[in-house]
Amino acid sequence: MASNEPYTDRSQQTKIAYLDGTPKSVHIRRAKLIIEPGTENEREQIFDQNVIKIGALDDNDIILEDDTVSRHHCRIVQEDDAYVVIDLDSTNGTHINGVRIREAYLSANVVVSVGNTEVQFCPIDEQVPIEPSKAERLGNIVGRSVKMREIFDILEKIAPTSATVVIEGETGTGKEVVAQTIHEMSPRSNQPFIVFDCGAVPESLIESELFGHEKGSFTGAIMTRKGLFEMAEGGTIFLDELGELAIDLQPKLLRVLEQREVRRVGSNEPIPIDVRVIAATNRSLEDDVREGRFREDLFYRLSVVRLFLPALYERSEDIPLLVTHFLETMDCNYDPGGRQRLHGIAPDALKALCSYKWPGNVRELANVIERACSFAETDMLQRRDLPDYITDTSSTGNGLFVQQQGENWSHVPARSELQDEPFKEAKEKWISSFERDYIDELLARHGGNISGAAREADIDRKYFRQLMTKYGIDADEYA
């Protein structure tokens, strides 16, 4: 029999409240469980995870030394707007108010009998205001703009929890750096940080990569192999390009998030995991949900905390700080003896950087600084060290080669080179040269990220790869 008044929270899970696009507060939702309340053995534990496992074995979150408690007795699950206790076919049952239940909503302060042991459920809800941090750095993230300093404050509040985080933002805004910072500021910092790019692995291999496989489970499975979730045990797994995950694999990821256990390909044996999940996407998952490309239940399960990173053009005041950071930290700016080659940037060069639109965001800026370090002839980064498309005021500002009147793309054959050739051959040569330069430039600005480059080009990712193969272009050369 279920409790008639379940504890509910219409803000759903731990999340950030926005007003007019500005973060105002972080709602942190946790559960406190008091074991044997009112006795001399009373103890309490606080959880911010979606699933709390209770039983006699050591792999449970709450371990009860009670002969009437089964090895895996029950679990408490945080759903969209409530907590639910689920009995796991225990021998002596799970009871509320003397009634044995299979599944029941939990009201605030209700006492659940697990075998002969009582456990009191106490929800904890905190609405923590967000104030811009006074710091200009957090881990490897730098920024003095208000938006970035608000993000610093958010990260300081959510990092110590185990809350699942979805980081949203354009390609190159630094989502992996933010994920790494969350991990390093969390209690899991001494455990693994595993990165998986959902768009970089063939669909047929993703399930095996994430969840592992047993020997002989498919052609080529010559030995048992752990998946990335198992490898990340105790730590954090970062799922990059989440929007690229195939729709038929999404239920399996949802099951892992809900059950906190994985099943290797070819096995029915569940393996418990303790892993924090951080995901990133430059797509609108809400649009993908509406259009049927992304499961709604997985979207809500992942969106415990949604963090939006601003594009670089929205925080151009951070560019001087970022340039200084890159000059101080990039290996390309140090000689073999460990001496820094460039110590600053000339005012006209900095002005050019601040005037550019940066469609590739921070990643593109980092690539430009790395290139400039190779060309620089003095100990200051000069305007002449920057790419023409940044310093040329007649450029469109999008980083692509532009054709002015009487001029040609820098790498496209001039008319004089083509005029003596038959029309078909001349046309194919011109188009091929354009395609090669276009793909090369996009990959350079996106740091070798094929998904991001294909989206900016507005062409299918598979076709983009075909063009790369056609012209012998390797994405790793741009990373």
Side-chain angles (χ1 to χ4, degrees):
M1 179 178 180
S3 173
N4 292 327
E5 297 181 359
Y7 165 75
T8 60
D9 170 20
R10 292 301 169 186
S11 64
Q12 296 185 10
Q13 301 166 333
T14 300
K15 65 192 311 180
I16 303 165
Y18 286 83
L19 181 63
D20 298 327
T22 302
K24 294 299 181 184
S25 64
V26 177
H27 178 266
I28 299 176
R29 180 181 178 190
R30 294 178 291 177
K32 179 171 70 173
L33 297 181
I34 304 175
I35 298 93
E36 299 186 73
T39 71
E40 60 181 14
N41 296 322
E42 178 180 315
R43 58 188 173 94
E44 64 181 50
Q45 291 181 244
I46 295 177
F47 299 92
D48 49 36
Q49 61 210 51
N50 292 330
V51 179
I52 307 168
K53 297 179 180 179
I54 303 174
L57 289 186
D58 291 345
D59 60 356
N60 290 284
D61 300 300
I62 293 181
I63 304 166
L64 301 179
E65 296 179 356
D66 179 344
D67 292 340
T68 65
V69 173
S70 297
R71 292 179 296 175
H72 298 103
H73 196 103
C74 65
R75 63 173 177 257
I76 295 174
V77 179
Q78 183 183 123
E79 294 194 340
D80 290 342
D81 59 359
Y83 282 91
V84 177
V85 59
I86 302 169
D87 184 75
L88 301 177
D89 295 323
S90 62
T91 301
N92 295 302
T94 302
H95 297 75
I96 295 178
N97 297 329
V99 178
R100 183 166 183 166
I101 58 95
R102 180 178 295 275
E103 183 173 327
Y105 286 108
L106 294 176
S107 59
N109 302 313
V110 69
V111 175
V112 180
S113 297
V114 182
N116 291 333
T117 302
E118 292 189 338
V119 178
Q120 186 176 11
F121 166 77
C122 304
I124 300 175
D125 292 294
E126 297 177 279
Q127 201 75 20
V128 184
I130 294 172
E131 298 291 342
S133 172
K134 295 180 180 180
E136 295 184 346
R137 294 173 183 261
L138 188 70
N140 287 322
I141 315 172
V142 298
R144 58 169 58 103
S145 62
V146 172
K147 287 185 177 181
M148 290 307 297
R149 289 188 291 115
E150 286 175 338
I151 287 174
F152 292 169
D153 191 54
I154 292 170
L155 296 182
E156 289 173 344
K157 290 178 169 60
I158 66 172
T161 75
S162 293
T164 303
V165 182
V166 172
I167 307 170
E168 302 180 53
E170 295 180 8
T171 295
T173 48
K175 295 185 284 292
E176 183 172 342
V177 177
V178 171
Q180 179 82 51
T181 300
I182 293 173
H183 173 73
E184 291 174 352
M185 294 174 60
S186 76
R188 300 173 180 265
S189 59
N190 293 327
Q191 301 302 319
F193 178 78
I194 303 292
V195 178
F196 179 74
D197 187 339
C198 298
V201 178
E203 290 182 12
S204 59
L205 298 178
I206 290 180
E207 184 176 3
S208 173
E209 284 288 314
L210 288 176
F211 311 133
H213 63 254
E214 296 293 336
K215 180 179 178 180
S217 56
F218 55 86
T219 303
I222 59 175
M223 59 186 297
T224 296
R225 182 178 180 275
K226 286 184 177 181
L228 295 181
F229 271 95
E230 286 184 73
M231 294 180 186
E233 177 64 21
T236 303
I237 188 167
F238 174 55
L239 303 177
D240 200 8
E241 301 288 354
L242 178 68
E244 303 294 331
L245 189 66
I247 191 74
D248 60 327
L249 291 172
Q250 293 174 20
K252 297 175 181 179
L253 176 58
L254 176 64
R255 192 176 305 117
V256 171
L257 295 174
E258 290 182 333
Q259 305 296 331
R260 296 290 163 173
E261 60 188 28
V262 296
R263 286 181 171 85
R264 294 175 183 166
V265 176
S267 172
N268 291 322
E269 186 69 27
I271 301 172
I273 57 167
D274 173 21
V275 175
R276 182 180 195 168
V277 176
I278 302 177
T281 180
N282 55 17
R283 298 171 58 157
S284 171
L285 292 184
E286 290 173 313
D287 289 345
D288 286 350
V289 168
R290 282 192 291 269
E291 294 170 14
R293 294 193 299 268
F294 202 85
R295 289 178 62 104
E296 184 177 24
D297 47 5
L298 177 58
F299 171 72
Y300 284 114
R301 180 60 69 192
L302 284 165
S303 300
V304 178
V305 173
R306 294 176 67 192
L307 192 62
F308 298 87
L309 299 187
L312 187 54
Y313 73 84
E314 297 179 280
R315 56 181 187 109
S316 57
E317 64 265 45
D318 290 340
I319 291 176
L321 193 64
L322 285 164
V323 171
T324 300
H325 173 71
F326 292 142
L327 291 178
E328 291 175 349
T329 59
M330 280 186 165
D331 291 340
C332 62
N333 194 33
Y334 288 85
D335 63 22
R339 291 183 296 272
Q340 189 172 335
R341 297 177 58 247
L342 298 181
H343 297 278
I345 181 170
D348 59 342
L350 183 59
K351 182 178 179 180
L353 293 178
C354 292
S355 300
Y356 180 62
K357 298 292 186 181
W358 298 111
N361 293 292
V362 180
R363 181 186 291 129
E364 183 183 4
L365 175 60
N367 289 339
V368 166
I369 299 301
E370 183 175 3
R371 176 188 182 276
C373 288
S374 301
F375 284 91
E377 298 177 351
T378 69
D379 64 351
M380 292 285 288
L381 195 158
Q382 305 291 335
R383 185 183 177 93
R384 65 175 177 269
D385 302 326
L386 300 174
D388 292 342
Y389 67 80
I390 290 179
T391 57
D392 184 1
T393 56
S394 63
S395 167
T396 60
N398 64 2
L400 298 178
F401 297 107
V402 291
Q403 186 177 20
Q404 306 298 329
Q405 186 174 0
E407 296 179 348
N408 297 289
W409 269 295
S410 57
H411 301 114
V412 174
R415 293 171 190 165
S416 60
E417 298 177 46
L418 302 175
Q419 61 187 5
D420 295 330
E421 297 194 25
F423 171 77
K424 183 177 180 181
E425 285 78 2
K427 178 182 176 182
E428 288 180 353
K429 183 179 287 187
W430 197 94
I431 291 175
S432 294
S433 184
F434 163 76
E435 287 179 341
R436 183 174 57 251
D437 281 347
Y438 186 83
I439 298 300
D440 178 81
E441 182 64 24
L442 278 178
L443 283 171
R445 291 194 296 108
H446 286 273
N449 186 298
I450 297 173
S451 296
R455 272 191 290 275
E456 184 172 334
D458 197 25
I459 60 178
D460 183 77
R461 187 172 181 274
K462 293 181 180 178
Y463 179 59
F464 195 94
R465 277 189 176 276
Q466 290 173 6
L467 289 174
M468 290 173 58
T469 301
K470 178 180 178 181
Y471 298 113
I473 297 174
D474 185 358
D476 290 341
E477 295 178 1
Y478 304 87

